[in-house]
Each structure stands twice: as C-alpha cells, then as structure tokens.
Amino acid sequence: GRDKLEELEVVVVHAQPDWTLAQVDSDPEMVADRLLQEVASLIDKPVKELRDCILTKHVHRWLYARPKAAYRLASGYLSSAADNLLICGDYFTVNSEFGVESAFLSAHALLGMESGAK
C-alpha cells in the first residue's frame, strides 16, 4: 500500500543499540514519543510542529533480527539478472552484529551495486 502514499514522506528513525535494548519492553507509544523528541531536537524544530505533521506512526523492534553467524549468507546481497531479482537483508554477512544495521548495510551494498558504485 505504500504506492498510495505518493504525496507523503515516510521517515524511519533508528535508535542506538544500547538505548534500544534498554527500551525493548517499553510501551511503543512512549518509545515513539521519545524518538520524536530526539528528532525534533536534532533538526531544531518544536515537538508539537512535528506531531502536527504525523498521520501515522509505527514502532517496530528488531528483537529477533540477529541471525547466527553460521546461518548468514556470505555476501552483502544476492542478485539474479535472469530472474530480475535483488535480495538484501539482515541475514547477509556484513560488518555489524545488529540486525537492523545489518539490513541497512546489506541494502546499501545492493544499492551501490545497482548504481555501479564501488
């Protein structure tokens, strides 16, 4: 359904692993509010101004996104030109022990490959 959001901007906020672990069982609304406060301070905007712009929010914890090293795939991503298929994710071998960062680094590697960047 993201194609229906063409006129909207989607913002994804990730917290540092140590803060995330400390908040793992916290109320999602409280986590969203604390992250919103941090974003507001980083971009020097009032929290109320940002709250007024938000149509919806979702808090997702990457609690189980830490695959065992033995099961990780030995590349940053997979691609198959014949199938027109590109795959990235937290289960690829990247320089991170944190699932969400691994997923980001995998996507970054894939995008670098797609753009021809090294």
Side-chain angles (χ1 to χ4, degrees), residues 13-16 18-43 45-47 50-51 54 57-59:
V13 179
H14 295 278
Q16 292 291 332
D18 56 339
W19 187 87
T20 300
L21 287 174
Q23 310 305 318
V24 76
D25 292 320
S26 297
D27 174 66
E29 281 297 315
M30 186 278 300
V31 170
D33 190 54
R34 300 250 333 257
L35 291 173
L36 182 65
Q37 290 173 22
E38 186 65 25
V39 169
S41 71
L42 288 171
I43 64 172
K45 295 282 183 186
V47 174
L50 292 183
R51 274 197 188 104
I54 296 173
K57 60 187 171 206
H58 173 77
V59 175

Side-chain angles (χ1 to χ4, degrees), residues 72-76 91-93:
R72 288 185 179 177
L73 299 176
S75 67
Y91 43 85
F92 290 97
T93 301

